[in-house]
Structure formats: C-alpha cells, structure tokens
Amino acid sequence: QVQVVESGGGLVQAGGSLRLSCVASGLTFGNYHTNWFRQAPGKARKFVAAISRKDSSYYSDDVEGRFIISRDGAKNTVYLQINNLEPEDTAVYYCAAGSVFGPAAIRDTENTYWGQGTQVTVSS
C-alpha cells in the first residue's frame, strides 16, 4: 500500500521559518513528480510548489523567493522550506505525488497520492 505523510507544521511568529517534510511508503519519490498544495480555512486548495522527476522546481507567484522545495532520494523524502512566514501562509499543507508536475495535479485524482496534511499557523 502507498502512504504519504507530511510533518513539520506548527505555530510560528511572522518572519520565522519552518521546514515541512513529506515521507512516502510503498512509493519512490524519484519516480514521481511531487507537489505541495495548501488550504486555508474556508478557502479552496491552492498550488504552492512542485519538484519534477528530474529535480526541476516550480513555484506559485505568491511564494516565489520564500519557499524552497527539495528532495533527498536516500531518505525518500521531499522537503518544503518556508522562510519569512506571513500570516497569509496559515493553512493546512498537503503533499501530492503523481504523474503531473504543477497545479494541474489537483485534477489527476486517479494517479495522485495525497497525504493527510500538516497545519501551519503564523501569528502576528
């Protein structure tokens, strides 16, 4: 069975940093594109960042320059480093592995594996 698990969220003051982790079982990240999405209360789930099977990266405009996505193949883990956190970053962050690289992955429900999410809360 495939399992995708996110961790690393928490309560952080504005201007601080977090590193989120996404660990997979029954799946090798090197064979998939991996995407991060986030969903704030009462809002739609939105694309944040992606890393391709060839380690190319892509970011949404509102996080460009503050977020960094990376992969550690030996640990089968994908990371999302978040710097200079803002209250608007408060959301549940989800990791999704599949055949689509980028925002369109949210529509590829048949070939995408999702984690349960990790909560990030930024205080002012």
Side-chain angles (χ1 to χ4, degrees):
Q1 292 185 351
V2 173
Q3 291 190 81
V4 176
V5 180
E6 305 96 334
S7 63
L11 176 62
V12 184
Q13 289 186 340
S17 298
L18 282 173
R19 189 175 74 162
L20 309 183
S21 298
C22 179
V23 180
S25 300
L27 173 157
T28 301
F29 275 131
N31 297 328
Y32 295 84
H33 305 302
T34 304
N35 305 277
W36 285 93
F37 292 80
R38 67 185 182 185
Q39 187 167 23
K43 304 294 184 180
R45 191 170 299 186
K46 296 175 63 178
F47 171 77
V48 174
I51 187 165
S52 75
R53 287 175 286 189
K54 295 184 177 181
D55 288 333
S56 297
S57 60
Y58 176 71
Y59 301 92
S60 65
D61 289 341
D62 56 343
V63 306
E64 183 80 44
R66 297 191 298 118
F67 287 28
I68 303 171
I69 190 169
S70 62
R71 174 166 50 229
D72 186 333
K75 297 181 179 179
N76 204 34
T77 302
V78 172
Y79 301 98
L80 184 67
Q81 177 71 36
I82 309 175
N83 298 316
N84 194 25
L85 280 156
E86 303 170 353
E88 292 76 17
D89 296 321
T90 295
V92 177
Y93 284 71
Y94 298 92
C95 178
S99 60
V100 177
F101 173 65
I106 199 168
R107 310 186 196 100
D108 188 29
T109 57
E110 296 295 325
N111 301 294
T112 303
Y113 301 96
W114 291 85
Q116 65 181 2
T118 186
Q119 176 72 50
V120 172
T121 303
V122 183
S123 64
S124 59

